[in-house]
Amino acid sequence: MRKYFTYKTLDDLREDIKQLGVHIPLEEHFEKCFEPIQVGGRRVGNRFVIQPMEGCDGTLDGKPDVLTFRRWERFGAGGAKIIWGEATAILDEARANTRQLLMIEENLSALEELIRRTRAQHRAVFGSDDDLLIGIQLTHSGRYSVQRPLIAQHDPVVDGVTWVDKKRGIRVTPDYPTLSDDELKRVEDAMVQAARLAAKVGFDFVDVKQCHRYLLSELLAARLRPGPYGGSYENRTRLARNAIRRIVEELGDQIIVATRLNAYDGIPYYQPEDEPIGRPVSVPRPYLAAWGTDPENPLEMDLSEPIQYVREMAEWGVRLINVSMGSPYYNPHIGRPFERPPIDGYQTPEHPLLGVDRHFRATEAIQRAVPEIPVVGTGYSWLQHYLPHAAEGNLRVGRVSLIGVGRGSLAYPDFVKDMMEGGEFDRRKVCVTVSYCTALMRAKHNELGQFPTGCVPRDRIYAEIYKEALRTAPKE
Ligand SMILES: Cc1cc2nc3c(=O)[nH]c(=O)nc-3n(C[C@H](O)[C@H](O)[C@H](O)COP(=O)(O)O)c2cc1C
Ligand code: SF4
């Protein structure tokens, strides 16, 4: 298996950047990273964001449990000034796994406790939490809902890789029902209701999730759906537009409205048996069922609609945007450039730096389209201890306003604290992008129907959980 991250020095990384012909500025002194910024009228103390990272560790009724508290408290004590709380379902049938958090009235006191404890940890280490924002990502898992896929459109390509029942080998077929217009209208209402609850419980911002091909993300690409939620750009953005406008109108002075948005969906990949790397599936051209994607060449981005869309969302009152891409289920190298693939993935078909660069380019295009809105960038973890060098480089040239750290924050939640104390990352603590956390996410063979996830190489608790998952795994 080829190793990509072999750099001994920053210059080694610079050399690869040059060889690959990409543009990733690397700086050596970190100033901009620690410059405060205004987000929706609130002061945020530095530029680091803990990305939404599900731990799949809630109770069966969707409350945070022991490991959820531990994870959030570690984020709180780590020093990033935005904690972007993980995917939290707006309806029971919209949960992606049996232990996903659920935004319902009954769970509010536990969620309140989660915020309280996270803030307390932050105050204990940094003295004050006045410049810390904590938000929550509201999700409808759509075709990835654990009870059964709830699909927005028949996608000729993605249907073929969507499981209805994985154990029995059943996938979505052309006669599988799509969500009706009435059902989608109810999703809009549920999103608004969940935002009300998020405001009530004290989150600083709410993310109307539109990424990774969950329901609202799939709708953006629903060119093949008939009726008021499909076809035209106007129709495809209808559900999110209505929800966002209603949330801003009703709650705009109580909670900041944010969104995590796919800039590019791309197409599925697979691992051919006789080849060393993953390959894209063949798709009809023009391929119309992907957002931000060139229909004639779906391996390339077409950011014209995402750019139009972020401009409109800024007008409606969205005040924070987090740019992501791809689907963790069918093209994980797009969203999470990796050294080793997830258990259900394939060997990376490209140098991971090309994936990092794709993220940075898409984020730059979005940030430049809405210079007044702080935009969070994604895809930094593959850079390991050189992450802050790229963060500073991108911040200085204004390609991005905030630096999102995903897997890197599971492995190394106190990276900001270490930077503040030692001036750099501790390379023994970084994420090495070997994807065990995704393997745990996919492990569902315990009595709760879901193993919790975290960093196996860097956190002993998860090394034990992983061993247990392997030991008890059903034989194929
Ligand atoms: C275990 C795990 C859980 C994740 N949970 C979420 C989530 O709840 N919501 C979301 O938008 N993205 C989620 N992601 C994606 C990350 O937020 C992030 O976009 C991705 O890991 C790429 O960023 P990175 O290179 O910093 O890791 C998850 C990723 C992993 C590996
Ligand atoms: S298991 Fe840890 S090291 Fe591996 S990708 Fe996940 S966070 Fe990174």
Side-chain angles (χ1 to χ4, degrees), residues 407 410 431-437 455-457:
R407 292 161 296 175
L410 281 187
C431 166
V432 286
T433 68
V434 288
S435 302
Y436 289 104
C437 47
C455 183
V456 174

Side-chain angles (χ1 to χ4, degrees), residues 51-57 71 86-88 96-97 99-101 137 139 209 214 329 410 441 453-454:
Q51 291 281 30
M53 294 297 290
E54 255 196 274
C56 309
D57 49 15
R71 196 159 42 79
E86 69 223 50
T88 298
N97 62 71
R99 300 177 72 177
Q100 187 168 56
L101 298 182
Q137 181 176 70
T139 188
K209 182 177 192 176
Y214 294 102
Y329 303 97
L410 281 187
M441 263 185 136
T453 189

Side-chain angles (χ1 to χ4, degrees), residues 47-53 75 80 82 260 322 376-381 387 391 402-412 415-416 425 431:
R47 302 303 181 96
F48 290 106
V49 178
I50 304 289
Q51 291 281 30
M53 294 297 290
F75 292 153
I82 295 186
R260 193 162 203 218
N322 189 332
V376 183
T378 297
Y380 285 83
S381 293
L387 182 162
L402 290 151
I403 306 302
V405 182
R407 292 161 296 175
S409 61
L410 281 187
Y412 187 8
F415 66 92
V416 177
F425 271 31
C431 166

Side-chain angles (χ1 to χ4, degrees), residues 407-461:
R407 292 161 296 175
S409 61
L410 281 187
Y412 187 8
D414 53 349
F415 66 92
V416 177
K417 184 165 166 278
D418 279 4
M419 275 179 84
M420 289 165 75
E421 288 169 358
E424 58 185 0
F425 271 31
D426 179 343
R427 62 179 68 189
R428 293 162 307 180
K429 294 163 87 175
V430 296
C431 166
V432 286
T433 68
V434 288
S435 302
Y436 289 104
C437 47
T438 307
L440 275 174
M441 263 185 136
R442 303 283 180 260
K444 300 182 187 290
H445 54 275
N446 62 4
E447 69 288 358
L448 299 176
Q450 179 64 54
F451 280 82
T453 189
C455 183
V456 174
R458 300 293 193 209
D459 189 339
R460 203 174 297 154
I461 288 190

Side-chain angles (χ1 to χ4, degrees), residues 274-307:
D274 48 355
E275 288 180 33
I277 58 171
R279 245 179 196 250
V281 300
S282 63
V283 298
R285 312 282 168 102
Y287 177 55
L288 296 173
W291 164 258
T293 303
D294 181 344
E296 295 302 334
N297 179 7
L299 301 186
E300 292 296 328
M301 301 188 281
D302 173 355
L303 298 178
S304 45
E305 284 193 343
I307 284 174

Side-chain angles (χ1 to χ4, degrees), residues 173-186:
T173 48
D175 58 347
Y176 190 84
T178 53
L179 286 169
S180 69
D181 296 342
D182 283 348
E183 284 169 317
L184 290 181
K185 179 72 183 76
R186 284 200 291 277

Side-chain angles (χ1 to χ4, degrees), residues 127-341:
S128 159
D129 63 339
D130 291 351
D131 57 356
L132 168 70
L133 292 192
I134 303 182
I136 196 77
Q137 181 176 70
L138 297 180
T139 188
H140 187 301
S141 305
R143 80 172 48 229
Y144 302 108
S145 303
V146 62
Q147 293 168 23
R148 68 185 177 93
L150 299 168
I151 67 173
Q153 69 171 346
H154 276 294
D155 177 325
V157 177
V158 174
D159 281 3
V161 293
T162 306
W163 294 111
V164 176
D165 185 336
K166 195 168 181 186
K167 278 192 200 130
R168 290 165 57 212
I170 302 172
R171 298 171 201 257
V172 167
T173 48
D175 58 347
Y176 190 84
T178 53
L179 286 169
S180 69
D181 296 342
D182 283 348
E183 284 169 317
L184 290 181
K185 179 72 183 76
R186 284 200 291 277
V187 170
E188 178 194 312
D189 295 340
M191 185 59 84
V192 177
Q193 171 61 9
R196 278 185 202 117
L197 297 178
K200 185 170 165 190
V201 84
F203 284 108
D204 300 302
F205 66 91
V206 71
D207 163 13
V208 176
K209 182 177 192 176
Q210 305 185 71
C211 61
H212 306 158
R213 292 292 291 216
Y214 294 102
L215 184 66
L216 271 62
S217 165
E218 174 163 88
L219 273 170
L220 295 177
R223 289 194 189 83
L224 305 175
R225 182 188 169 96
Y229 292 98
S232 68
Y233 168 87
E234 173 81 12
N235 286 353
R236 286 179 278 126
T237 52
R238 182 181 306 282
L239 196 158
R241 179 174 62 247
N242 290 348
I244 289 170
R245 282 179 158 166
R246 285 174 61 188
I247 295 168
V248 171
E249 200 179 293
E250 188 183 321
L251 304 164
D253 53 354
Q254 297 169 47
I255 198 161
I256 299 166
V257 181
T259 191
R260 193 162 203 218
L261 176 73
N262 255 22
Y264 168 65
D265 289 348
I267 58 171
Y269 280 66
Y270 70 105
Q271 181 69 57
E273 268 176 24
D274 48 355
E275 288 180 33
I277 58 171
R279 245 179 196 250
V281 300
S282 63
V283 298
R285 312 282 168 102
Y287 177 55
L288 296 173
W291 164 258
T293 303
D294 181 344
E296 295 302 334
N297 179 7
L299 301 186
E300 292 296 328
M301 301 188 281
D302 173 355
L303 298 178
S304 45
E305 284 193 343
I307 284 174
Q308 177 183 350
Y309 191 41
V310 292
R311 288 193 175 124
E312 289 177 9
M313 287 195 291
E315 281 171 21
W316 306 333
V318 168
R319 291 290 169 262
L320 179 63
I321 293 173
N322 189 332
V323 175
S324 193
M325 52 179 66
S327 152
Y329 303 97
Y330 59 70
N331 56 19
H333 76 286
I334 300 281
R336 318 167 174 173
F338 52 72
E339 213 43 32
R340 270 199 244 149

